[in-house]
């Protein structure tokens, strides 16, 4: 198949084994995601050792599938983009080793990609012409930050969580309420048509700066239930879940909007697993539009972990000549590495 830039993306930072092929940075020729949710759900969270072992079993199959579905061969590839951090180190290494092997044997560029930034770039798959600057909220299971992406594609972190990530508190409270894993979608499902104002919960640091703190909100729910066990009843629990979801999202929306207004940017871009939440999407749009700010978000398949977003960011890095050395390492912690 003839194309200009055909980029294979690989993403194995957590518990999804994923590979995708993008043409020219935005045409998704394939996007394969094999989730390990079933393997981890009994533990209420991800078990790193299980995740990396499963990645080893799946990685070659998933890459082969991505190429096949895209109708391309290894030899058609211009470059390989791969997440090399932040994430679970054992998981990252599997994708990184696969990417290095492909690039080394074909003598094509290897492009290491920051997982958090790639979530933000998921917005450019379906909106490649969106003008910078933008303010982007990246909210997932491991991170919650507000970024300013400038005209020159450089970025600045405007605020981050001081403790739990938004997805992490949703997962923890879903586990506490015994309603399933991953917690975000479970809470969203149980909250549909329920009274989200039934219980008064705190909105931590709502008016204070652009950092987040969610652990106090989590503790508030746990204490409330400890005091009154009837909150766990079939009648009350969905209202409690809905009230909790609303508290988390109110904070995300308020701070992201405040960032957009204070930096005078015309566009807010949501990203990360939590941004597949319908209430977050609609509230962000509604609040932003009332201030003449546009709010965009990727299709749900590009919100949760996927390799299309990795190939997308790799494309922009390739255009800027930001190619990695073949000996790049994986790193586990959030950092400003691009
Ligand atoms: O981006 P992602 O797939 O992986 C990480 O990089 O962490 O995000 C996963 C997180 C989980 O915490 C999950 O509960 C949350 O995103 N999530 C949601 C929804 N779908 C996934 N949270 C709220 N509403 C959803 N619909
Ligand atoms: Zn992620």
């Amino acid at each position: 198949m003839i194309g200009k830039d055909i980029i294979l993306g690989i993403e194995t930072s957590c518990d999804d084994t994923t590979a995708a092929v993008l043409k020219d940075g935005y045409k998704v020729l394939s996007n394969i995601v094999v989730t390990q949710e079933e393997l981890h759900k009994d533990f209420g969270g991800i078990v790193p050792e299980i995740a990396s072992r499963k990645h080893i079993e799946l990685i070659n199959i998933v890459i082969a599938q991505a190429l096949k579905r895209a109708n391309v061969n290894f030899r058609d590839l211009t470059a390989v983009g791969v997440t090399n951090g932040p994430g679970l180190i054992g998981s990252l290494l599997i994708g990184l080793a696969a990417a290095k092997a492909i690039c080394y044997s074909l003598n094509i560029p290897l492009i290491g990609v920051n997982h958090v930034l790639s979530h933000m770039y998921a917005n450019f798959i379906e909106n490649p012409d969106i003008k910078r600057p933008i303010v982007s909220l990246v909210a997932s299971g491991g991170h919650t930050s507000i970024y300013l992406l400038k005209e020159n594609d450089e970025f600045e972190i405007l605020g981050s969580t001081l403790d739990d990530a938004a997805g992490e508190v949703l997962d923890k409270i879903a586990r506490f309420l015994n309603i399933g894993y991953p917690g975000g979608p479970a809470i969203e499902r149980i909250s549909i048509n329920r009274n989200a104002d039934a219980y008064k919960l705190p909105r931590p640091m709502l008016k204070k700066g652009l950092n987040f703190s969610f652990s106090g909100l989590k503790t508030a729910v746990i204490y409330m239930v400890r005091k009154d066990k009837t909150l766990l009843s079939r009648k009350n629990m969905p209202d409690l879940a809905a009230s909790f979801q609303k508290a988390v999202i109110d904070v995300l929306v308020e701070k992201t909007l405040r960032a957009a207004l204070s930096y005078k940017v015309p566009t807010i871009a949501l990203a990360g697993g939590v941004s597949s939440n319908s209430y977050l999407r609609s509230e962000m749009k509604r609040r932003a539009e009332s201030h003449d700010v546009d709010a965009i978000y990727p299709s749900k398949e590009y919100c949760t972990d996927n390799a299309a977003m990795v190939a997308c960011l790799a494309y922009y890095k390739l255009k800027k000549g930001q190619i990695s050395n073949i000996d790049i390492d994986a790193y586990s912690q959030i950092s400003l590495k691009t």
Side-chain angles (χ1 to χ4, degrees):
M1 188 186 143
I2 314 292
K4 271 200 203 141
D5 284 305
I6 305 281
I7 299 188
L8 171 67
I10 299 175
E11 146 63 47
T12 60
S13 67
C14 200
D15 64 335
D16 295 312
T17 317
T18 73
V21 179
L22 254 68
K23 188 175 165 194
D24 298 333
Y26 71 98
K27 286 178 208 130
V28 181
L29 304 182
S30 65
N31 186 34
I32 310 291
V33 177
V34 177
T35 174
Q36 301 180 9
E37 244 164 60
E38 277 300 311
L39 292 174
H40 300 274
K41 75 170 194 229
D42 289 345
F43 301 96
I46 293 149
V47 183
E49 185 62 27
I50 295 177
S52 48
R53 280 165 192 263
K54 203 66 196 169
H55 284 312
I56 293 177
E57 280 174 33
L58 289 169
I59 189 72
N60 288 337
I61 302 167
V62 168
I63 291 172
Q65 187 77 25
L67 294 174
K68 189 172 171 210
R69 202 160 293 173
N71 199 22
V72 300
N73 296 311
F74 277 116
R75 298 214 170 274
D76 297 318
L77 298 177
T78 313
V80 179
V82 60
T83 310
N84 67 316
L88 301 171
I89 206 81
S91 292
L92 289 163
L93 284 171
I94 312 303
L96 187 57
K100 284 182 178 180
I102 296 167
C103 292
Y104 188 74
S105 57
L106 295 171
N107 196 22
I108 56 173
L110 170 74
I111 302 166
V113 160
N114 176 304
H115 179 70
V116 186
L117 288 184
S118 69
H119 270 301
M120 176 161 74
Y121 273 72
N123 281 286
F124 299 126
I125 298 172
E126 293 155 300
N127 288 292
D129 299 324
I130 209 88
K131 296 260 180 307
R132 283 72 154 166
I134 60 172
V135 155
S136 182
L137 168 74
V138 184
S140 68
H143 13 261
T144 301
S145 301
I146 300 175
Y147 289 87
L148 174 67
L149 184 68
K150 301 177 188 169
E151 278 94 343
N152 56 4
D153 255 26
E154 284 186 3
F155 67 92
E156 204 179 298
I157 297 189
L158 304 180
S160 282
T161 182
L162 303 176
D163 39 57
D164 290 0
E168 189 181 352
V169 280
L170 290 162
D171 291 341
K172 285 177 177 169
I173 290 299
R175 188 176 168 191
F176 175 70
L177 298 176
N178 210 8
I179 53 175
Y181 174 83
I187 289 183
E188 178 169 14
R189 271 193 303 276
I190 210 161
S191 301
I192 293 171
N193 296 329
R194 301 302 299 219
N195 181 4
D197 298 312
Y199 299 98
K200 217 171 147 13
L201 288 165
R203 269 69 176 154
M205 296 173 55
L206 190 65
K207 301 284 172 203
K208 238 173 79 191
L210 295 175
N211 286 329
F212 300 95
S213 167
F214 290 109
S215 74
L217 172 58
K218 174 186 68 187
T219 316
V221 173
I222 294 170
Y223 274 46
M224 212 177 223
V225 170
R226 279 204 188 134
K227 264 202 203 148
D228 180 0
K229 289 273 182 322
T230 66
L231 297 188
L232 291 179
S233 69
R234 269 195 195 188
K235 180 170 161 277
N236 296 334
M237 194 270 280
D239 286 348
L240 178 63
S243 304
F244 169 67
Q245 174 179 261
K246 189 172 181 208
V248 172
I249 284 168
D250 281 355
V251 179
L252 294 174
V253 168
E254 170 78 22
K255 298 217 176 205
T256 308
L257 181 60
R258 182 139 31 87
L261 296 178
S262 52
Y263 285 83
K264 299 189 172 51
V265 305
T267 311
I268 287 172
L270 300 178
V274 178
S275 63
S276 41
N277 184 280
S278 306
Y279 178 62
L280 171 59
R281 288 165 173 250
S282 60
E283 266 305 283
M284 192 75 255
K285 237 186 164 36
R286 186 183 69 77
R287 298 271 323 270
E289 275 168 7
S290 70
H291 291 272
D292 275 338
V293 174
D294 201 15
I296 61 169
Y297 38 76
S299 293
K300 292 191 179 184
E301 65 191 297
Y302 305 129
C303 286
T304 43
D305 286 349
N306 68 89
M309 66 187 190
V310 174
C312 179
L313 174 51
Y315 170 82
Y316 287 93
K317 293 187 78 169
L318 180 69
K319 293 289 128 189
K320 287 197 280 180
Q322 293 175 350
I323 289 161
S324 307
N325 283 331
I326 199 77
D327 63 352
I328 50 164
D329 276 333
Y331 58 95
S332 60
Q333 297 297 320
I334 292 184
S335 83
L336 275 181
K337 291 178 196 179
T338 57

